[in-house]
């Protein structure tokens, strides 16, 4: 990434200098004088035009390829990354670690470990930006976005919101603390919250009476599909199509149950829009994930917990 | 009438018969407000544009003052957010987009193609009125509390959460959009149908080509942003939910629609400035333009490809990886015609007779700043680098290099270059050269530090910032005060020159364009007899009327080696 940036700087400086020197040299060398009252007639040259279209194009394509390669890596989190959930709202960041520790405007992560953030906003679009890690990603309302990074040095780094989000946009930030793995473990257990995300989700599952239709998660529920083994599987819908049950699908099914009805069931589930918060949604999703089928090389951070 | 007005003013100057031209063809407010003369309408635009430039500049000044200290010592965040929003809205919709087409395009296109006026003179006047009605709405929204969404109006902040005057401002921009459409339409029809005998397409000045390309964007792009902003107003007032995920809408849809216009809008700003620069470079190098057809077609290529690059504003917004790659590729593609122009301008200087008069200083400044703006654009077009610098001061610096370093430099250069034609007077050369240099220095001091700030990670639109960024911010504010001085000077000496400037001849530089074939200032009907064009564009060879020695032809073998050096 930084090597790419340096390459871009070199190309930019090179072309600026070439054009700059060209302009200055020509305008001094061929400045107006009594001996040079009017310019010579120079006809255009197709060869030259093609050359100075082709050369920048080749360089541009090289930039395009290199930049795209970096981007593809950036957008595809490794499957064994440590998964942390982030909720943005005007004007704070709420972070939930898988074992339940929560923090605000701070993010603690272990060093030399791939970290995947699953993020959503409660209101407007925000953007999670850690300049030191060269990563940023918009955090949208209504859909999960993900980003990942691998910190290689312990320390404290700026966390900014970089998508303008209203009054206190410039104050919506904090620090990312990169710790030794052992310190991180100690830090995780230091919180007052003893419940893990899945446990919190399971409690909600009972509390919101999801259990009365979906069942205990063992067999099929009385009026609704069982959720054990659903996450990561292909679900058949009433219209004959199938969807992969991912985080976005689970979330949608809770907020807008009629959007996608599982084949063989009636559209009777009420919406939980406005009933539960994005934090609670993430807990429910984590719970459903934990009783799902761990796909080959899936995310053991969430699934391997129960 | 002419004798009574001429007697007191003309007393000190050598007695010359007072000649009727478009400026003295009528007096009184009605002769201006109901004029259909494109030249008078251009001056009406000049007044509106200058007002909004001053207003936007005032906001910029307050922004830079606030950023002197990390904690922001002048305003709270709510006021600051309104300031940068209104700076953006005023500068983009009410200055940059209409500036060159409204003032210079209006004044010059009929003159350059040998026509008496634009194709639809009344529509032309209507365009100015529509602009000002829209501007009134926006001005009302500013004085009654302002807007705090950023000029980009991103949803759902603008459609649901903002408590500011978004709806009024949006209505204002919606109305103003029609002004753009009318002007664009008028230019297209005029260029197609009103060219003088002999003025073939390949004899059009590049300025006209540039406005043709710009007009296409205005006519095709503006309706999209108008509809998009209407949908935002609908979401706010009637809770339609186009962009509200809770009602099944999509906030990203807004960004796609918004940038579909607002990226090409950048080309509305820069293409006319490129046209101005081309005219100036050819005139002050006294030389035929190198690669005329390539430069002309490059304008059209930029306009067309420019419509296909919008999502490069959304690389971190959550679009798919493959969509991002397609838009990155197309963004690199649009860089090529821009590079072609830069190389051709540079090559035009080769073996020229280069004079560093004020317009040329602006034109060369334009090329330099545009190259820097363009090269940093390559960072943003690349997916990997954009992720880091997106929405930081790097982007702010980049687009100010294009819009201020490019479009405003082009506008001011053009205003100087054609000022003798517009006003019939020369501006003061020494003072104006000083102003051009002050602007160049002030500009770079203001915006170069912002590249560094962005690379270090300072996000844009921050009312307060971490203390380590202060030094660069103070530098930037210092530069902005120099820049401000550079803008005040031309306003003063242009006004001064209207009365006290040296009387300009018809063709003071001299230049080859048709606009210099008529008197300065031109008569209301532009030309006494319809001109017939028998020469190629920027042709100094077959123009004994210019009073210059006949140029020699460069020996072919002499131009190969140094020419190629600049090529790559």
């Amino acid at each position: 990434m930084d090597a790419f940036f340096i390459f871009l700087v070199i190309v930019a400086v090179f072309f600026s200098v070439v054009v700059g020197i060209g302009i200055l040299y020509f305008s001094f060398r061929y400045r107006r004088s009594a001996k040079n009252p009017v310019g010579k007639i120079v006809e255009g040259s197709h060869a030259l035009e093609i050359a100075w279209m082709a050369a920048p194009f080749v360089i541009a394509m090289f930039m395009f390829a290199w930049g795209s390669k970096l981007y593809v890596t950036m957008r595809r989190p490794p499957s064994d990354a440590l998964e942390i959930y982030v909720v943005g709202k005007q004007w704070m960041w709420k972070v939930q670690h898988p074992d339940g520790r929560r923090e605000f405007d701070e993010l603690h992560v272990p060093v030399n470990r791939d970290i995947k953030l699953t993020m959503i906003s409660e209101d407007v679009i925000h953007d999670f930006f850690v300049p030191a890690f060269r990563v940023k990603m918009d955090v949208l309302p209504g859909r999960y976005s993900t980003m990942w990074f691998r910190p290689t040095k312990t320390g404290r780094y700026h966390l900014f919101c970089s998508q303008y989000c209203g009054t206190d946009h410039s104050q919506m930030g904090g620090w990312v603390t990169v710790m030794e793995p052992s310190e991180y473990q100690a830090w995780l257990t230091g919180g007052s919250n003893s419940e893990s995300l899945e446990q919190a989700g399971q409690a909600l599952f009972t509390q919101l009476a999801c259990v009365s239709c979906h069942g205990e998660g063992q067999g099929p529920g009385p009026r609704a599909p069982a959720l054990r083994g659903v996450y990561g599987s292909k679900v058949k819908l009433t219209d004959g199509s199938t969807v992969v049950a991912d985080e976005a699908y689970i979330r949608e099914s809770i907020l807008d149950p009629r959007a996608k009805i599982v084949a063989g069931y009636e559209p009777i589930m009420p919406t939980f829009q406005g009933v539960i918060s994005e934090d609670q949604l993430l807990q429910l999703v984590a719970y459903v994930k934990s009783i799902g089928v761990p796909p080959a090389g899936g995310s053991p951070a969430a699934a391997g917990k129960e | 009438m002419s004798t009574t007005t001429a007697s007191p003013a003309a007393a000190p100057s050598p007695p010359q018969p007072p000649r009727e031209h478009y400026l003295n063809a009528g007096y009184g407010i009605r002769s201006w407000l109901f004029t259909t003369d494109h030249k008078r309408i251009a001056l009406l635009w000049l007044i509106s544009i200058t007002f909004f430039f001053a207003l936007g500049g005032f906001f910029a000044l307050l922004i830079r003052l606030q950023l002197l200290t990390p904690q922001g010592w002048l305003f709270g965040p709510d006021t600051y957010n309104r300031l940068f929003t209104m700076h953006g809205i005023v500068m983009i919709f009410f200055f940059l987009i209409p500036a060159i087409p409204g003032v210079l395009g209006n004044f010059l296109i009929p003159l350059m193609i040998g026509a008496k006026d634009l194709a639809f003179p009344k529509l032309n006047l209507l365009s100015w009125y529509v602009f000002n009605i829209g501007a009134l709405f926006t001005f009302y929204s500013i004085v009654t509390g302002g807007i705090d969404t950023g000029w980009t109006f991103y949803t759902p902040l603008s459609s649901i959460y903002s408590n500011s005057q978004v709806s009024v401002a949006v209505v204002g921009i919606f109305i103003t959009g029609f002004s753009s459409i009318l002007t664009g339409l008028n230019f297209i029809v005029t260029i197609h149908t009103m060219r003088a005998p002999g003025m073939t397409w390949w004899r059009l000045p590049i300025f006209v080509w540039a406005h043709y390309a710009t007009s296409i964007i205005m006519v095709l792009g503006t309706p999209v942003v108008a509809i998009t902003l209407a949908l935002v107003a609908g979401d706010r007032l009637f809770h339609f939910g186009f962009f509200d995920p809770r009602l099944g809408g999509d906030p990203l849809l807004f960004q796609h629609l918004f940038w579909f216009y607002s990226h090409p809008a950048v080309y509305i700003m820069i293409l006319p400035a490129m046209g101005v620069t081309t005219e100036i470079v050819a005139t002050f190098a006294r030389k035929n333009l190198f690669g005329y057809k390539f430069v002309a077609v490059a304008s059209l290529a930029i306009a067309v490809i420019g419509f296909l690059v919008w999502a490069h504003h959304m690389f971190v917004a959550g679009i798919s990886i493959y969509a991002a790659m397609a838009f990155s590729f197309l963004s690199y593609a649009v860089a090529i015609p821009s590079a072609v122009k830069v190389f051709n301008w540079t090559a035009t200087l080769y073996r020229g007779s280069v004079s560093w008069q004020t317009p040329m200083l602006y034109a060369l400044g334009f090329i330099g700043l545009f190259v820097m703006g363009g090269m940093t654009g390559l960072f943003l077009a690349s997916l990997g680098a954009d992720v880091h610098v997106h929405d930081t001061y790097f982007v702010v610096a980049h687009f100010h290099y294009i819009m201020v370093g490019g479009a405003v430099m082009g506008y001011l250069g053009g205003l100087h270059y054609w000022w003798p034609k517009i006003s019939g007077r020369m501006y003061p050369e020494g003072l104006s050269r000083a102003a051009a240099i002050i602007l160049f220095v002030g500009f770079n001091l203001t915006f170069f530090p912002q590249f560094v700030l962005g690379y270090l990670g300072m996000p844009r639109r921050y009312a307060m910032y971490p203390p380590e960024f202060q030094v660069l911010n103070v530098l930037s504010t210092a530069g902005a005060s120099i820049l401000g001085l550079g803008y005040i000077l031309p306003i003063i000496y242009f006004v001064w020159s209207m009365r006290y400037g040296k009387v300009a001849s018809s063709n003071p530089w001299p230049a080859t364009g048709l606009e210099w074939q008529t008197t300065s200032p031109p008569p209301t009907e532009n030309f006494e007899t319809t001109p017939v064009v028998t020469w190629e564009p920027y042709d100094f060879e077959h123009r004994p009327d210019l009073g210059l020695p006949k140029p020699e032809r460069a020996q072919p073998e002499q131009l190969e080696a140094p020419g190629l050096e600049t090529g790559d």
Side-chain angles (χ1 to χ4, degrees):
Chain A
M1 168 76 201
D2 282 345
F4 180 49
F5 211 91
I6 290 165
F7 167 74
L8 289 169
V9 170
I10 290 170
V11 173
V13 169
F14 174 76
F15 274 91
S16 306
V17 166
V18 165
V19 172
I21 288 181
I23 289 174
L24 290 176
Y25 174 76
F26 287 157
S27 45
F28 279 110
R29 171 72 181 75
Y30 304 110
R31 67 185 174 277
R32 188 167 300 166
S33 62
K35 275 160 77 184
N36 183 27
V38 60
K40 304 263 189 305
I41 295 166
V42 180
E43 295 301 338
S45 151
H46 284 243
L48 208 51
E49 299 284 351
I50 288 164
W52 65 40
M53 280 192 267
F57 186 75
V58 170
I59 298 170
M61 284 306 99
F62 183 66
M63 287 179 183
F64 164 71
W66 191 348
S68 299
K69 189 165 169 282
L70 291 169
Y71 182 76
V72 169
T73 314
M74 266 184 241
R75 287 287 299 269
R76 293 197 171 138
S79 53
D80 59 346
L82 172 65
E83 211 170 342
I84 297 173
Y85 297 91
V86 175
V87 175
K89 61 173 282 193
Q90 287 178 324
W91 291 274
M92 64 188 291
W93 296 105
K94 301 189 282 187
V95 178
Q96 302 187 74
H97 292 261
D99 77 337
R101 175 103 203 227
R102 311 177 69 160
E103 50 184 333
F104 301 101
D105 290 341
E106 295 267 350
L107 172 64
H108 288 77
V109 289
V111 72
N112 290 327
R113 173 93 198 258
D114 295 333
I115 313 288
K116 175 187 172 189
L117 304 182
T118 299
M119 308 181 291
I120 195 159
S121 164
E122 283 183 11
D123 37 50
V124 303
I125 301 176
H126 302 280
D127 186 291
F128 198 94
F129 177 31
V130 188
F133 303 162
R134 307 286 186 261
V135 289
K136 71 160 64 75
M137 188 70 198
D138 279 7
V139 179
L140 297 142
R143 75 166 79 168
Y144 293 115
S145 51
T146 57
M147 66 185 246
W148 77 278
F149 52 85
R150 185 185 180 92
T152 51
K153 253 170 82 177
T154 56
R156 270 163 79 73
Y157 305 98
H158 276 298
L159 158 65
F160 294 122
C161 174
S162 78
Q163 182 60 264
Y164 175 66
C165 58
T167 304
D168 279 329
H169 167 56
S170 63
Q171 297 302 295
M172 182 172 168
W175 297 92
V176 176
T177 309
V178 180
M179 315 162 90
E180 292 296 341
S182 53
E183 287 174 52
Y184 176 69
Q185 280 311 322
W187 176 84
L188 275 181
T189 50
S192 54
N193 202 335
S194 55
E195 247 180 352
S196 77
L197 268 190
E198 293 108 70
Q199 287 163 343
Q202 192 173 16
L204 274 174
F205 196 73
T206 312
Q207 187 193 326
L208 295 168
C210 313
V211 67
S212 60
C213 293
H214 286 284
E216 295 288 350
Q218 304 299 331
R223 284 180 293 273
L227 298 181
R228 182 163 297 274
V230 163
Y231 185 83
S233 70
K234 280 189 178 145
V235 179
K236 247 200 151 71
L237 303 181
T238 43
D239 64 1
S241 61
T242 52
V243 289
V244 175
D246 56 4
E247 289 154 338
Y249 168 75
I250 307 282
R251 180 174 188 283
E252 184 190 51
S253 299
I254 297 170
L255 293 181
D256 186 10
R258 277 148 212 250
K260 297 189 177 79
I261 305 292
V262 179
Y265 289 91
E266 292 300 310
I268 51 167
M269 179 170 158
T271 173
F272 285 81
Q273 177 106 48
V275 178
I276 51 175
S277 68
E278 292 290 353
D279 307 38
Q280 292 174 316
L281 264 169
L282 281 170
Q283 293 162 2
L284 277 173
V285 170
Y287 169 65
V288 174
K289 264 171 112 165
S290 71
I291 57 172
V293 202
S299 51
K305 208 77 189 179
E306 214 182 39
Chain B
M1 180 168 71
S2 47
T3 45
T4 49
T5 49
S7 51
S13 57
Q16 42 178 233
R19 181 180 58 81
E20 181 158 304
H21 50 73
Y22 83 101
L23 287 173
N24 64 14
Y27 294 92
I29 194 86
R30 291 170 62 88
S31 75
W32 285 91
L33 290 182
F34 298 112
T35 181
T36 54
D37 181 351
H38 67 101
K39 300 182 287 304
R40 287 197 161 207
I41 295 171
L43 290 193
L44 294 177
W45 275 105
L46 180 63
I47 294 165
S48 301
I49 297 299
T50 308
F51 171 77
F52 280 105
F53 182 62
L55 183 66
F58 175 68
F59 291 141
L61 172 77
L62 296 180
I63 289 170
R64 284 311 329 163
L65 285 176
Q66 162 87 352
L67 294 178
L68 274 173
T69 68
Q71 285 307 308
W73 57 290
L74 273 179
F75 314 107
D78 266 328
T79 310
Y80 179 81
N81 294 344
R82 280 165 167 76
L83 283 174
F84 72 69
T85 300
M86 297 183 300
H87 168 70
I89 290 175
V90 166
M91 284 301 202
I92 287 169
F93 294 110
F94 297 95
F95 172 69
L96 284 165
I97 288 176
I100 301 183
V103 180
L104 299 175
N106 240 324
F107 195 96
L108 292 162
I109 287 175
L111 286 167
M112 284 181 163
I113 64 174
K116 283 186 166 48
D117 204 317
L118 287 170
F120 306 113
K122 286 179 186 158
L123 220 52
N124 193 22
L125 182 65
L126 179 67
S127 171
W128 181 73
Y129 276 103
V130 168
F131 171 83
N132 283 296
I133 292 168
L136 272 181
F137 274 88
T138 305
F139 194 72
Y140 173 82
S141 74
I142 290 172
V143 295
T144 54
I147 316 110
D148 70 347
T149 61
W151 80 275
T152 47
F153 294 106
Y154 268 24
T155 56
L157 179 64
S158 65
S159 56
I160 302 174
Y161 290 89
S162 171
N163 294 318
S164 59
Q165 292 281 27
V166 178
S167 302
V168 186
V170 157
V171 168
I173 295 167
F174 181 89
I175 295 172
T176 302
F178 285 94
S179 161
S180 251
I181 297 170
L182 292 178
T183 296
L185 194 68
N186 216 343
F187 285 174
I188 291 175
V189 175
T190 305
I191 295 168
H192 269 277
T193 62
M194 309 269 288
R195 284 171 287 124
M199 180 53 88
T200 60
W201 282 91
W202 291 124
R203 284 177 178 172
L204 286 176
I206 295 295
F207 181 88
V208 178
W209 274 106
H211 275 78
Y212 187 76
T214 305
S215 302
I216 292 173
I217 304 174
M218 285 173 156
V219 170
L220 295 182
T222 315
V224 178
V225 79
I227 292 164
T228 310
L229 294 178
L231 294 182
V232 169
D235 265 17
R236 274 186 84 80
L237 301 171
F238 310 112
H239 308 289
F240 285 152
F242 292 110
F243 308 121
D244 182 357
R246 285 172 308 186
L247 298 173
D250 182 0
L252 276 192
L253 176 65
F254 171 84
Q255 295 181 25
H256 281 291
L257 293 171
F258 181 81
W259 289 116
F260 180 80
Y261 166 78
S262 295
H263 191 79
V266 177
Y267 299 115
I268 296 181
M269 306 169 199
I270 199 71
L271 279 170
M274 290 170 156
V276 169
T277 300
T278 311
E279 302 299 318
I280 295 175
V281 166
T283 298
F284 291 92
R286 283 201 183 147
K287 199 165 148 292
N288 58 329
L289 181 66
F290 196 88
Y292 166 85
K293 285 190 181 178
F294 287 89
V295 178
V297 173
S299 299
L300 294 180
I302 290 172
V304 172
I305 306 172
F307 267 116
L308 305 173
V309 301
W310 74 86
H312 67 208
H313 295 266
M314 302 167 61
F315 287 159
V316 299
I319 59 173
S320 87
I321 293 175
Y322 297 105
M325 284 172 72
F327 281 102
S328 171
F329 172 80
L330 288 161
S331 304
Y332 277 115
V334 82
I336 304 301
S338 305
V340 165
K341 285 181 176 251
V342 169
F343 291 138
N344 278 302
W345 293 324
T346 311
T348 301
L349 299 176
Y350 170 69
R351 311 217 72 185
S353 163
V354 180
S355 156
W356 289 52
Q357 280 156 286
T358 310
M360 191 61 158
L361 292 183
Y362 279 105
L364 299 182
F366 170 95
I367 300 174
L369 299 179
F370 177 73
V371 166
M372 287 188 63
M375 294 311 296
T376 50
L378 299 180
F379 291 56
L380 299 168
S382 87
L383 294 168
D386 180 66
V387 170
H388 176 53
V389 288
H390 183 85
D391 266 332
T392 67
Y393 264 85
F394 190 92
V395 175
V396 176
H398 158 73
F399 70 69
H400 279 91
Y401 265 81
I402 298 290
M403 294 183 190
V404 184
V408 179
M409 282 289 191
Y411 172 66
L412 285 176
L415 215 50
H416 284 86
Y417 177 54
W418 283 292
W419 190 250
K421 188 56 65 183
I422 294 171
S423 71
R425 302 277 182 164
M426 301 301 290
Y427 54 81
E429 181 70 27
L431 193 57
S432 62
R433 280 193 210 189
I437 291 164
I438 289 170
L439 274 175
F440 188 80
V441 172
F443 176 84
N444 281 298
L445 186 56
T446 309
F447 292 106
F448 195 82
Q450 297 186 3
F451 282 125
V452 185
L453 275 175
Y455 177 72
L456 295 176
M458 179 167 165
R460 59 192 288 207
R461 298 172 166 176
Y462 262 30
M464 299 169 216
Y465 55 85
E468 64 260 36
F469 297 136
Q470 187 174 12
V471 174
L472 288 163
N473 270 295
V474 170
L475 266 183
S476 180
T477 303
S481 45
I482 300 175
L483 190 60
L485 175 69
Y487 286 129
I488 292 170
L489 280 176
I491 295 178
I492 294 173
Y493 65 68
F494 275 138
V495 173
W496 174 88
S497 75
M498 283 196 281
R499 193 171 175 95
Y500 303 105
K502 211 172 99 222
V503 174
S505 67
S506 298
N507 195 356
W509 308 123
T512 57
L514 267 188
E515 76 272 26
W516 303 104
Q517 294 297 297
T518 186
T519 47
S520 304
T524 302
E525 67 279 11
N526 288 349
F527 300 95
E528 312 217 328
T529 54
T530 304
V532 178
V533 184
T534 57
W535 59 86
E536 299 305 310
Y538 314 105
D539 176 5
F540 285 86
E541 193 182 9
H542 305 99
R543 296 294 299 279
D545 58 304
L546 299 180
L548 296 173
K550 195 173 162 80
E552 298 162 32
R553 294 200 158 258
Q555 299 300 314
E557 63 274 10
Q558 281 179 297
L559 67 110
E560 282 301 320
L564 274 172
E565 252 172 38
T566 45
D568 301 275

